[in-house]
Amino acid sequence: LRLVHLDLKGAAPRVSYLEQLFPLLSQLGASGVLVEYEDMFPFQGELETLRSPYAYSEEDVERIQQLAELNQLEVVPLVQTFGHAEFILKHEKFQHLREVERFPNSFNPHAPGTLPLLRNLLAQVMEKHGRSSWIHIGADEVFHLGEGADSRAWMSRTKGDVGAMYLQHVKEVASAVAAPGRRALMRRAEGPGTPGSPGHAHRPAAGPFLAKYAESGFSSVWFASAFKGTTGPAQAWPPLGHHLQNQLSWLKVVEAMPRFAPLRLQGIVLTGWQRYDHYAVLCELLPVGIPSLAVCLQTLANGERRRGCPGPVPLPPPAHRVPCLAGGFTEATKRKVLDVLGFHSIQLEQSTCEGNGAFPGAQIYRLVEQVNGHLKESVAKVLEEESAVKGWFSPYHRKRRFGNPRNLESFGSRLLKLHEDWQSVERSLRAHLASVYFPDAVDEWLEENVSPYLEPLRELLRDYR
């Protein structure tokens, strides 16, 4: 299974965009989507306060699953049940369930209200995903676990440690989702550079962990690679070569899997974080990440074909396996990516694609490329390098409202043209973003990525006029 992670805690796309996106995911080799709803789920009752003003409706959630079925994609919902709980614990109503009072990151597993709340969360999500054979319960990065008064008292009383406390809570949560035909997934980040860590870029030292899981009786394991959202909390443009290397590294781990039989690989999740946490700024937008996603998916799919791996069914005994060969990003793979996305070339190290693009959100990809590559530099050139501006229209001149018209006119036309050009890009970008995203995401992205550079230009223009 190759699941594409849709992180909805920031810039959640409209369902109309998913309608265009899902056929592309299927064409590129995805077999499912991992949907991390957070505040975009239509929670009811006492949980209604968790809903974003733009949360999906019940009809939207059903439509997403129908679209997935039409495109042979499995839907796996993700509900955070331990760490990454800011979207819940930020609310005054649920503050008392925090592990540490001043931090909204993690649940206190000993608070009387924690498990009832989580059971309610899970029940509502599972009720709307009756077709799903998997549910993901999160459980990674439980920051500050063991630091709360209740946890310290528990460890003192039971002589237990943080590991035992963690395991007890996860087992309680897993029992709440257990049902015939449904299995639980969880994400265990062991630390930087190891399986599941969002910061990893190269092949992790997976052997000791795989051996531990095999010895502990696990029958299958998942890996988590990344196609965007791991190289910086304010990253606007995904580094293609970096993410390709991540997939190639995981394919080497896949190649080594026969050593850990009977443990088998169940699937890979291509993570695509939209925020590092609920409070962080937006990182690479989904349309901007699609070329990276295409490269990553096709690399994994090609590696799978070269291995002769039968996918999610159990692998045959080691002696009968086809040798595992990491297919990688071959010329044929590259050609398919270019054909599907509507580009004529791709430069991995420069993280650029040539051509107009013919995928959902290609206009956003091109406009963000302009902003990311040229806006800051072009404005800085006027404000900091233009000699006429520095010499005859300095902050001193502007504050006292005087200057020589002859010298002002020497740069005025260039100033007006620069502003007009970027204003046109901003208008076009706003319109295209609004076709994919809700108003809050449009405003946030522009305010974070465009306004910091256009506002100083506009102030200069106002003073010039």
Side-chain angles (χ1 to χ4, degrees):
L1 292 173
R2 289 180 290 273
L3 303 184
V4 175
H5 176 217
L6 298 178
D7 182 15
L8 305 183
K9 62 175 169 283
R14 298 176 185 271
V15 176
S16 57
Y17 181 71
L18 298 179
E19 190 169 351
Q20 303 168 59
L21 179 67
F22 281 8
L24 178 68
L25 298 185
S26 186
Q27 190 178 4
L28 288 169
S31 48
V33 286
L34 176 68
V35 186
E36 185 167 359
Y37 285 104
E38 283 224 353
D39 58 359
M40 288 301 293
F41 189 81
F43 291 110
Q44 303 292 331
E46 70 156 351
L47 302 182
E48 192 170 346
T49 189
L50 304 180
R51 294 169 60 165
S52 159
Y54 300 101
Y56 294 144
S57 66
E58 294 183 33
E59 292 74 23
D60 289 335
V61 172
E62 175 60 27
R63 179 61 179 152
I64 289 169
Q65 292 174 90
Q66 290 173 353
L67 291 169
E69 282 184 358
L70 284 171
N71 293 282
Q72 294 80 50
L73 297 171
E74 172 104 10
V75 176
V76 178
L78 190 161
V79 181
Q80 294 290 355
T81 59
F82 213 168
H84 290 294
E86 297 95 339
F87 81 104
I88 302 167
L89 299 178
K90 70 178 184 180
H91 293 281
E92 187 176 356
K93 180 177 181 179
F94 301 115
Q95 270 182 290
H96 65 288
L97 301 180
R98 296 176 178 182
E99 170 69 355
V100 175
E101 187 179 357
R102 67 186 184 279
F103 299 142
N105 306 76
S106 306
F107 279 107
N108 172 1
H110 314 287
T114 293
L115 280 172
L117 170 67
L118 293 177
R119 289 190 184 107
N120 192 356
L121 275 169
L122 291 162
Q124 291 197 28
V125 171
M126 289 188 296
E127 182 191 355
K128 295 290 182 286
H129 291 83
R131 313 172 183 79
S132 296
S133 52
W134 298 88
I135 184 166
H136 197 309
I137 60 172
D140 67 310
E141 297 184 341
V142 189
F143 298 133
H144 307 290
L145 182 63
E147 296 178 17
D150 289 345
S151 290
R152 292 198 305 271
W154 183 89
M155 288 188 288
S156 174
R157 185 174 66 253
T158 64
K159 308 303 181 191
D161 58 13
V162 171
M165 188 190 312
Y166 174 90
L167 185 60
Q168 177 176 292
H169 178 77
V170 168
K171 286 170 68 179
E172 294 263 17
V173 171
S175 69
V177 300
R182 182 170 59 233
R183 298 176 67 186
L185 268 169
M186 58 176 282
R187 186 168 180 271
R188 186 76 182 112
E190 302 282 357
T194 59
S197 171
H200 72 276
H202 304 293
R203 178 165 58 98
F209 299 108
L210 293 174
K212 181 174 17 173
Y213 298 143
E215 290 163 10
S216 301
F218 284 91
S219 60
S220 61
V221 66
W222 293 69
F223 298 150
S225 67
F227 70 93
K228 76 176 189 74
T230 64
T231 54
Q235 183 82 15
W237 197 256
L240 292 178
H242 174 94
H243 290 298
L244 171 59
Q245 285 302 317
N246 185 210
Q247 314 312 313
L248 295 176
S249 296
W250 276 113
L251 283 174
K252 290 178 181 176
V253 180
V254 172
E255 188 177 352
M257 281 299 292
R259 301 203 326 253
F260 304 99
L263 186 72
R264 65 187 180 88
L265 176 64
Q266 182 73 51
I268 295 181
V269 177
L270 289 94
T271 60
W273 308 101
Q274 194 52 76
R275 299 188 197 278
Y276 271 37
D277 70 25
H278 190 76
Y279 284 85
V281 298
L282 296 170
C283 42
E284 306 102 310
L285 293 172
L286 183 54
V288 173
I290 283 180
S292 176
L293 176 59
V295 167
C296 294
L297 267 174
Q298 274 296 292
T299 297
L300 292 177
N302 188 36
E304 203 75 355
R305 284 192 293 271
R306 292 282 295 275
R307 284 194 322 119
C309 175
V313 299
L315 295 176
H320 303 292
R321 284 200 183 106
V322 176
C324 292
L325 299 171
F329 194 60
T330 63
E331 279 302 315
T333 312
K334 181 178 177 181
R335 175 46 51 198
K336 176 163 184 182
V337 168
L338 293 173
D339 290 346
V340 170
L341 298 185
F343 291 129
H344 54 73
S345 68
I346 184 169
Q347 306 299 325
L348 291 171
E349 292 313 310
Q350 288 76 39
S351 300
T352 57
C353 301
E354 283 73 48
N356 290 330
F359 58 90
Q363 304 94 331
I364 293 173
Y365 176 87
R366 280 290 169 228
L367 290 164
V368 171
E369 184 179 39
Q370 285 186 54
V371 168
N372 187 61
H374 306 293
L375 175 57
K376 181 179 180 180
E377 178 187 328
S378 66
V379 172
K381 195 168 184 180
V382 168
L383 296 180
E384 298 165 20
E385 299 174 25
E386 176 72 57
S387 62
V389 172
K390 290 175 74 72
W392 282 274
F393 205 50
S394 71
Y396 183 88
H397 294 88
R398 293 168 62 186
K399 182 177 179 181
R400 289 160 179 80
R401 300 176 64 81
F402 82 98
N404 187 331
R406 176 181 177 278
N407 300 92
L408 266 63
E409 287 174 8
S410 72
F411 66 81
S413 59
R414 291 195 302 278
L415 177 64
L416 289 164
K417 178 69 164 59
L418 181 67
H419 179 255
E420 182 183 317
D421 289 348
W422 281 117
Q423 199 169 34
S424 174
V425 170
E426 183 186 36
R427 279 196 301 267
S428 183
L429 186 50
R430 181 177 287 278
H432 285 297
L433 286 171
S435 70
V436 173
Y437 295 113
F438 298 100
D440 60 338
V442 176
D443 290 343
E444 180 182 353
W445 196 90
L446 292 172
E447 196 169 322
E448 288 281 353
N449 296 278
V450 177
S451 297
Y453 309 108
L454 276 192
E455 277 310 310
L457 182 63
R458 286 172 176 147
E459 287 174 13
L460 184 70
L461 186 59
R462 280 193 293 269
D463 290 349
Y464 169 80
R465 283 173 171 153

